[in-house]
Amino acid sequence: MFSLPSHLADFYETYPEAEHQPIIGITANFVEGDAALRDRYYQSVVNAGGTPVIIPPVNDKRTIINTLDHLDGLLLSGGADFNPMWAGEEPSPKLHGINATRDLPELLITQLAYNRQIPILGICRGMQTLAMTLGGKVAQDVSLQELNRDVPAIKHSQDADRQELTHSVTIEEDSTLYNIYGNTRKIFVNSFHHQAVCDTGKRFRVTARAADGVIEGMESTEHKPIMGVQWHPEWLESGLPLFQWLVEQANNFHVAKRLHKRILTLDTHCDTPMFFAQGVHFDHRDPRILVDLHKMTEGRQDAVTMVAYLPQPKIGETFSSKVVVNEHILVQDDDEELRTDISQLKITPLLYADLIFNKIEDIVRRNSRYLSIARTPADLYQDKRKGRKSIMLGIENGLALNHDLQNVKHFAQRGIVYITLCHNGDNDICDSARGCNTHNGVSQFGERVIEQMNLNGIMVDLSHAGEKSFYDALEISATPIVCSHSNCRALCDHPRNLTDDQMRALARRGGVMHITLYPGFLRNTSAKSDNQPVTPVNILDAMDHLEHAIDIMGIDHVGLGTDFDGDGGIIGLADSSEMINFTLELLRRKYSERDIEKIWGGNWLRVMSQVQNFPQNK
């Protein structure tokens, strides 16, 4: 019994000593100066197949971040009440004992875990923590809730043993909780609480209620593995399935994280530079933009193509009237603001694009330890090996060429990897999907532009192009073409989307089409005829378009181009911090690692290599 070697022998009888188990962090209570935790919490995690780690109630930034970096799942434990001041409320006379030492650490770790897409289960106070952190509301006492008083109130703070079943809850049929409990509508639970969630907020929905209407369960409305229950399942034999659910979700997250370490993840289109005029901070978690260093890190995204977007002037408009240029865009190489009177500058499309690229280069220079501009597939892989994020440069609207073929070479020398030939309106290169058929496809000038792009190793991007322009460019280009952010017209009838025939033609020529996250290109969101609310466009809609494209084109011709900061972003894939959710969906659908690698950028980089090698091989 007391022989250490005999105990160790069991560890070394096999190799490896043990299979991997997901790491589940459990928030500790704070009692009379001690971090404390009921054994039922960590034993439940062990029984469910997880490895528990206890998180002390400290709000030190480095401690929290380093803890989260090692977690696969988070369990928010029960305990005393929240200080209502965190909700902007004065204390009610019915408020019971608070545990102020826990409040800030748990609010911080919950928000940061949410940003990192870590699966979360909140129990009692833990469910209230989710609501307090993520936009819901907690009543200081159950009796203060606005309840349906057609039914009698029940007691929620029990004197019974914690293993005693003290009341029932009714579960919503279309919920994860319903599936966990074997499609059962009513279960019996214990209950020991004074505060309760009275409004879940938009990020959650109610999944269970007590007989008096008190919310007893909630889950994410964003297709995320986040759930809260008001009772204490750690004390009940029937509680194990909840911990098994958390461990299963944590294991999925662990698999996705490891996959992201091995493969390159590239978003082929974002419009974040449009916000540079607002003085955004790319090295902050800036709420004004959907792509920044923090969000890319949280979502485990390696690279993004940032475009200089040029709006297409209408007849009678000038280009300079369509864009904003100020001191936030005008920078010099010495990092000081350009001391030029902006009103004296003639803002041409060429100058505007160059100013955008100057700004990107300035941002990269300021963050060179963590960020780099990549021009080739080799650059991207080198950045990943060195632990840097990558920005690739693109142009959205060939208007930037300023009707001068020499500017194709100019932008090639700046490192531009693709030019989207047009935007929402015909230009001098081709007709747009939203245009007036000015040229009946690609113009004579546009034909020479495409030829020069081929000769200078720049990819031809036909997102936004009209159907005739698409087929013309496909014939003109000597290299495969791309659609950096387009969807399937068969699923959403919009002229910006590609028909199945276009997709087949694109694949035959070796090109790629990347699904985009603009809601209007994913689903018709007009009201239903029966006046039922329309489900918001979400990650499942994007997966439908991806899988339709795979059915039509094959796995070698698809990818993701979010259009973040260009009105792209949907529930479940709202910004770069949520990009790992895309991988989780691919894993749920049993795609292989090789296929996921192709979708996440491998297909795009194959085309990029062909295009960039064409001038040398010609």
Side-chain angles (χ1 to χ4, degrees):
M1 177 180 294
F2 296 104
S3 169
L4 179 60
S6 65
H7 286 281
L8 283 172
D10 180 56
F11 283 74
Y12 294 119
E13 283 182 352
T14 61
Y15 183 84
E17 291 93 340
E19 296 179 356
H20 169 78
Q21 293 189 154
I23 307 298
I24 309 296
I26 310 173
T27 54
N29 201 355
F30 188 78
V31 182
E32 297 180 352
D34 294 324
L37 188 69
R38 293 271 192 170
D39 66 339
R40 297 297 180 119
Y41 286 111
Y42 56 79
Q43 286 294 344
S44 295
V45 170
V46 171
N47 294 340
T51 298
V53 174
I54 299 174
I55 304 173
V58 295
N59 58 22
D60 178 72
K61 177 175 74 171
R62 292 167 298 180
T63 300
I64 291 175
I65 295 302
N66 281 278
T67 298
L68 289 172
D69 284 346
H70 290 86
L71 296 188
D72 302 313
L74 176 63
L75 176 60
L76 300 171
S77 65
D81 295 342
F82 267 97
N83 187 332
M85 299 297 287
W86 287 108
E89 299 177 358
E90 297 295 333
S92 160
K94 293 181 176 292
L95 179 67
H96 296 260
I98 62 174
N99 195 328
T101 303
R102 295 183 65 177
D103 288 357
L104 179 56
E106 290 185 358
L107 292 169
L108 286 169
I109 202 167
T110 301
Q111 181 67 66
L112 290 162
Y114 171 85
N115 291 347
R116 285 158 171 75
Q117 317 309 315
I118 295 174
I120 306 174
L121 173 62
I123 293 174
C124 195
R125 172 190 164 96
M127 173 169 153
Q128 296 157 24
T129 305
L130 287 170
M132 291 278 286
T133 307
L134 300 173
K137 182 175 173 59
V138 173
Q140 294 183 40
D141 190 87
V142 174
S143 64
L144 299 175
Q145 293 199 69
E146 292 294 329
L147 300 175
N148 177 8
R149 288 311 176 193
D150 292 337
V151 296
I154 66 173
K155 186 176 182 181
H156 288 271
S157 181
Q158 308 294 341
D159 301 319
D161 185 88
R162 290 180 178 270
Q163 294 167 301
E164 185 74 18
L165 301 174
T166 55
H167 74 283
S168 66
V169 298
T170 301
I171 301 174
E172 295 295 323
E173 290 187 5
D174 61 341
S175 67
T176 301
L177 199 59
Y178 183 74
N179 296 331
I180 287 173
Y181 280 101
N183 302 337
T184 300
R185 279 278 284 159
K186 180 176 284 190
I187 62 172
F188 295 91
V189 300
N190 54 10
S191 187
F192 311 93
H193 65 103
H194 301 286
Q195 292 184 333
V197 174
C198 55
D199 180 358
T200 63
K202 67 179 182 179
R203 290 193 172 103
F204 294 95
R205 68 185 185 98
V206 176
T207 57
R209 289 185 184 271
D212 60 359
V214 168
I215 298 171
E216 293 272 349
M218 66 183 195
E219 69 179 39
S220 171
T221 57
E222 300 172 311
H223 301 276
K224 297 181 180 183
I226 307 177
M227 183 190 305
V229 295
Q230 189 58 67
W231 65 92
H232 282 267
E234 72 276 12
W235 288 94
L236 305 175
E237 289 184 13
S238 61
L240 182 60
L242 279 168
F243 294 94
Q244 290 173 327
W245 171 84
L246 176 62
V247 169
E248 179 184 3
Q249 300 305 316
N251 190 62
N252 294 341
F253 185 62
H254 175 79
V255 170
K257 286 191 299 181
R258 293 191 63 185
L259 183 55
H260 275 237
K261 286 185 177 181
R262 294 192 296 269
I263 68 172
L264 183 77
T265 53
L266 169 66
D267 170 12
T268 57
H269 188 91
C270 86
D271 284 296
T272 306
M274 282 203 300
F275 289 82
F276 289 167
Q278 297 181 18
V280 299
H281 296 282
F282 195 73
D283 57 340
H284 293 193
R285 199 177 199 278
D286 197 314
R288 293 170 292 179
I289 52 178
L290 303 183
V291 183
D292 58 40
L293 270 175
H294 286 274
K295 297 184 186 78
M296 289 180 72
T297 300
E298 291 163 349
R300 291 169 169 80
Q301 177 186 342
D302 296 314
V304 62
T305 304
M306 286 191 176
V307 299
Y309 157 69
L310 287 82
Q312 182 66 39
K314 297 177 182 178
I315 296 175
E317 290 182 326
T318 62
F319 176 77
S320 59
S321 70
K322 303 283 288 184
V323 296
V324 176
V325 177
N326 58 25
E327 68 276 7
H328 295 303
I329 292 180
L330 296 170
V331 295
Q332 292 178 320
D333 290 340
D334 60 3
D335 293 341
E336 295 181 1
E337 294 176 0
L338 189 65
R339 302 183 187 280
T340 301
D341 185 349
I342 297 172
S343 65
Q344 301 302 311
L345 286 174
K346 182 180 180 182
I347 305 300
T348 66
L350 174 67
L351 175 60
Y352 181 74
D354 275 332
L355 288 171
I356 291 293
F357 297 136
N358 290 347
K359 184 63 177 179
I360 294 174
E361 289 170 352
D362 179 61
I363 289 170
V364 169
R365 184 170 56 252
R366 292 171 184 267
N367 299 279
S368 58
R369 183 177 174 184
Y370 310 105
L371 191 60
S372 176
I373 291 178
R375 293 172 171 81
T376 67
D379 290 344
L380 290 171
Y381 287 114
Q382 183 179 33
D383 283 344
K384 186 172 178 69
R385 286 192 299 271
K386 292 185 175 182
R388 292 191 300 245
K389 304 298 182 189
S390 299
I391 293 176
M392 304 197 97
L393 305 178
I395 290 173
E396 187 171 25
N397 195 350
L399 181 71
L401 297 176
N402 225 26
H403 202 77
D404 186 344
L405 290 176
Q406 292 299 313
N407 287 328
V408 175
K409 185 174 183 179
H410 164 76
F411 284 122
Q413 291 172 337
R414 291 220 64 163
I416 307 311
V417 297
Y418 72 74
I419 298 175
T420 312
L421 296 188
C422 63
H423 192 251
N424 291 338
D426 302 343
N427 62 14
D428 55 352
I429 296 173
C430 69
D431 296 335
S432 165
R434 306 292 294 273
C436 305
N437 198 31
T438 303
H439 311 289
N440 190 31
V442 173
S443 69
Q444 290 184 346
F445 173 70
E447 184 171 351
R448 288 181 288 161
V449 166
I450 293 171
E451 291 169 351
Q452 285 300 308
M453 289 173 67
N454 290 165
L455 292 172
N456 284 276
I458 298 176
M459 290 190 287
V460 177
D461 178 21
L462 291 177
S463 288
H464 286 284
E467 194 165 342
K468 180 62 164 54
S469 299
F470 173 92
Y471 285 112
D472 285 352
L474 205 61
E475 289 301 314
I476 295 165
S477 180
T479 62
I481 65 172
V482 298
C483 292
S484 64
H485 57 302
S486 295
N487 288 339
C488 309
R489 199 178 300 185
L491 301 187
C492 181
D493 189 10
H494 192 286
R496 264 282 280 112
N497 290 341
L498 301 186
T499 67
D500 288 357
D501 286 342
Q502 285 177 285
M503 292 157 61
R504 292 187 188 99
L506 181 64
R508 281 195 299 268
R509 294 294 301 271
V512 291
M513 164 187 157
H514 280 217
I515 299 302
T516 194
L517 303 181
Y518 179 72
F521 301 159
L522 286 166
R523 178 151 50 87
N524 184 346
T525 56
S526 60
K528 296 180 180 178
S529 57
D530 56 2
N531 294 320
Q532 293 297 314
V534 177
T535 304
V537 179
N538 58 60
I539 188 172
L540 302 183
D541 295 300
M543 298 305 296
D544 287 345
H545 279 261
L546 176 73
E547 296 201 307
H548 180 79
I550 291 171
D551 288 344
I552 298 299
M553 305 169 72
I555 197 71
D556 295 320
H557 303 280
V558 296
L560 182 67
T562 62
D563 208 11
F564 284 154
D565 291 314
D567 292 328
I570 54 178
I571 290 176
L573 286 172
D575 59 40
S576 282
S577 74
E578 301 189 348
M579 294 293 259
I580 197 169
N581 295 341
F582 184 60
T583 303
L584 286 164
E585 277 298 328
L586 292 170
L587 289 169
R588 289 188 189 105
R589 294 161 193 250
K590 308 301 182 185
Y591 284 91
S592 68
E593 178 171 335
R594 178 60 181 145
D595 286 346
I596 294 174
E597 185 177 20
K598 290 179 178 181
I599 294 167
W600 255 125
N603 294 331
W604 181 271
L605 298 184
R606 181 198 73 244
V607 174
M608 183 183 292
S609 294
Q610 289 177 259
V611 172
Q612 292 182 347
N613 289 329
F614 176 78
Q616 298 95 301
N617 297 333
K618 183 172 172 58

